[in-house]
Amino acid sequence: MVDLMSTPVEEFMRRRREFEGRPLARPDEEVVDQGLGFDLGTLVSRRRMLGLLGLGAAGLGLAACGDEKSVSSSGTSAGSAGEIPDETAGPYPGDGSNGPDVLEQSGIVRGDIRSSFGEASGTAEGVPMTLELTVSDLAKGVPFEGAAVYVWHCTRDGGYSMYSEGIEGENYLRGVQIADAAGKVKFTSIFPACYSGRWPHIHFEVYPDQASITDATKAIATSQVALPKDVCDVVYAESGYGQSVKNLAQVSLKSDNVFGDDGGAGQLAKVTGGVSGYAVSLAVGVDTRTKPGGGAPPAGGGPQRGGPDGASSYGPR
């Protein structure tokens, strides 16, 4: 409390000998010259005040970084996502590299891939699913706006349109979307089966732009989305997925001939929802500075038999 009887000069001199209510160790020196002990006391006092305000060094850092934009809806930024692993396109790509070419057909750019288009008219049945991929351009550190993403996967029976017996004339569960300003593409589809020898998955290729999709050699990334086991267990209890229960029990992410090298790290999707409709999402980092390695069988995989429609020289991929 200020002494009401003190003179203005005396009050001024008293305040000169204090700093933030604390006596100066060296009244005749500047505040910055009061010594280490005084400096530490001041630092502790300020940190205690920040603590009372619910702040701290970490809190201040988070506040400073709070304006940074996330590329992915799942909270994974482009930088932290890393480059998506290159994987085999398998024996049923439908991109012209192994027989049929759906990417040459008018109507392939579409969001809902459950039904065939063009001269085909079939519709794939199964548990509803949406797939959202957030593509980032790691070379520039920005969302990959304008990239064309081609997605394909098997039916609930484990077959692939355009290839498998009985559905060679169909082209459902295949489609292309163009990434928006946030690098996102979204497809409406059905949850795929687990067929013999493979973990449940979804294939995709990334092209630099829509004009490039008619040439499979222009793909800048080829990879696969791995689906979580707990979700697969629930889906495969539904009608039409009976064979998937047995097949899933015979494989794991570690034993899978595609995801096995790292257990699907970086490719395991985030999934929300229920059997009335699942939302599958994954961050896809693409580095145009590296040479794509997709399309070939994975290292050590070797030729196998037992694909979704009986056999394949490429193995069940």
Side-chain angles (χ1 to χ4, degrees), residues 105-118:
Q105 299 180 25
S106 175
I108 187 60
V109 179
R110 63 209 186 112
D112 191 335
I113 63 175
R114 292 173 294 183
S115 297
S116 292
F117 62 97

